[in-house]
Amino acid sequence: MMALTTKEDLDSIKSWLKKGKAVALTGAGISAESGIPTFRGKGGLWEKYDPEIFANAEELLSTFRQKPERIVDFLSDLYSLLLQAKPNPGHFALAKMEEKGILDCVITQNIDDLHNLAGSRKVFELHGNAFHLRCEKCFRRMGLDREKLADLINKMNKYKNSKWKLLRLFSQFFPKCTCLARFRIDIVLFGEMLDYDILSKANQAVNNCSLLFLIGTSGVVYPAAQLPFAAKEKGAKIVEINNNPSELSYICDYQILGKAGEILPEFIK
Ligand code: NAD
């Protein structure tokens, strides 16, 4: 059951939406209703796989050298979640708001591609996209075919116990770029820099918005968690939509406790 602060609050948020453009900053919570567990929530992937190992490039490589089957299990579990997930009413509502001209863009920390699948056109993916490859040197990107990805996962499981067969498979799947460096999955891992261009565009968007929706994020991952402060400093109203208070609740002008998939459609009524 959604718990809106008050009907007056909703009306005043709607009137702010008429005054200028809004921006949405989303986190794992918006995709929870699509079946993708949040990072810190119960039953998530990270209860089974230690993020210090599986979200860290060096540790991933060293685990691959010692126990390649662990990497195969991790990638299979991750992609079986991501390949099955479909956008939910929260994602669709944001796409509709953009189409109606009341939302400038979505800035997301998610890697699940669901905002794109829902039809949002201006999406800044701060932490990358699991369905893209990115050159590790020049940051050139290319899309990943979902069927080819599913095929890779099947083959990986077949060769699970042979490091050499897996290496051959990976070298076919992750080609070399024209700059001669290799492509890798476009996910920003722990300790890695964010794409400067994407982060600057996200900063520009929050600096120019009149309202920032803060949706389904615990607000502890930086530099993403810095963006609401920048918006606030420029005078934007901050509206939090989360089923629990977050680390950033104290700077929000409105707090709507509940599920993003139930609350966001209210704004396109
Ligand atoms: P988080 O897991 O730290 O926090 C999720 C937040 O969403 C919590 O505050 C929780 O209360 C809230 N929430 C849960 N269900 C909700 C719902 N139905 N509606 C509204 N709010 C809901 O997530 P984070 O702040 O995004 O940080 C996690 C990091 O892990 C990010 O960097 C992200 O890249 C990554 N991650 C991504 C995905 C994904 O792509 N879907 C999933 C898990 C983790």
Side-chain angles (χ1 to χ4, degrees):
M1 183 52 193
M2 127 183 143
L4 267 176
T5 25
T6 61
K7 163 92 175 66
E8 286 71 36
D9 285 347
L10 181 62
D11 288 343
S12 104
I13 297 168
K14 282 185 176 171
S15 70
W16 266 96
L17 281 176
K18 287 183 192 144
K19 287 184 194 152
K21 287 243 170 169
V23 165
L25 172 61
T26 67
I30 196 171
S31 298
E33 291 156 78
S34 295
I36 304 178
T38 61
F39 184 59
R40 289 165 183 85
K42 282 212 170 93
L45 196 68
W46 306 111
E47 277 184 357
K48 189 168 169 192
Y49 300 99
D50 180 356
E52 295 296 332
I53 296 173
F54 291 91
N56 175 303
E58 275 176 31
E59 294 292 336
L60 273 172
L61 272 177
S62 112
T63 307
F64 180 77
R65 279 187 216 108
Q66 291 157 34
K67 292 178 185 164
E69 70 282 3
R70 287 290 290 147
I71 302 296
V72 172
D73 289 344
F74 169 65
L75 288 174
S76 303
D77 285 350
L78 173 68
Y79 277 102
S80 69
L81 266 175
L82 295 177
L83 281 162
Q84 277 169 30
K86 302 267 182 302
N88 66 55
H91 297 104
F92 286 119
L94 291 177
K96 194 79 195 163
M97 283 161 79
E98 183 184 1
E99 194 188 305
K100 284 182 157 202
I102 51 178
L103 188 83
D104 175 41
C105 65
V106 174
I107 302 168
T108 187
Q109 298 166 80
N110 297 341
I111 49 138
D112 54 30
D113 205 30
L114 293 182
H115 287 299
N116 299 315
L117 288 184
S120 284
R121 291 207 213 122
K122 198 168 163 191
V123 184
F124 299 123
E125 294 167 318
L126 297 175
H127 298 163
N129 181 322
F131 294 95
H132 291 165
L133 291 182
R134 152 170 59 90
C135 168
E136 51 192 4
K137 192 169 159 207
C138 72
F139 272 52
R140 208 178 117 212
R141 288 186 171 82
M142 60 164 121
L144 263 180
D145 182 282
R146 285 173 181 251
E147 274 178 28
K148 274 192 191 156
L149 198 48
D151 184 49
L152 172 79
I153 304 293
N154 281 337
K155 285 188 175 138
M156 264 175 16
N157 276 297
K158 211 164 115 194
Y159 303 148
K160 198 170 172 172
N161 296 313
S162 165
K163 202 185 324 179
W164 304 113
K165 282 188 182 164
L166 283 173
L167 274 175
R168 201 175 321 136
L169 187 65
F170 289 154
S171 69
Q172 286 162 4
F173 196 80
F174 300 108
K176 279 197 172 168
C177 177
T178 43
C179 78
L180 296 181
R182 206 167 271 286
F183 278 96
R184 57 171 266 188
I185 294 172
D186 182 20
I187 299 179
V188 178
L189 298 169
F190 282 180
E192 291 183 332
M193 299 285 282
L194 270 62
D195 183 318
Y196 177 79
D197 189 43
I198 294 175
L199 185 59
S200 339
K201 285 181 177 146
N203 262 306
Q204 215 176 339
V206 296
N207 279 321
N208 290 307
C209 72
S210 56
L211 187 146
L212 180 74
F213 284 109
L214 196 57
I215 307 162
T217 175
S218 54
V220 296
V221 180
Y222 282 78
Q226 182 56 42
L227 296 170
F229 291 94
K232 181 111 187 149
E233 224 174 271
K234 295 273 174 173
K237 294 280 174 199
I238 315 285
V239 179
E240 175 164 69
I241 299 172
N242 196 313
N243 56 6
N244 285 298
S246 76
E247 291 294 314
L248 296 174
S249 298
Y250 76 98
I251 67 156
C252 296
D253 298 278
Y254 299 95
Q255 192 180 31
I256 308 176
L257 287 177
K259 293 183 176 177
E262 291 173 10
I263 293 163
L264 284 167
E266 285 293 316
F267 294 100
I268 46 165
K269 276 183 187 165

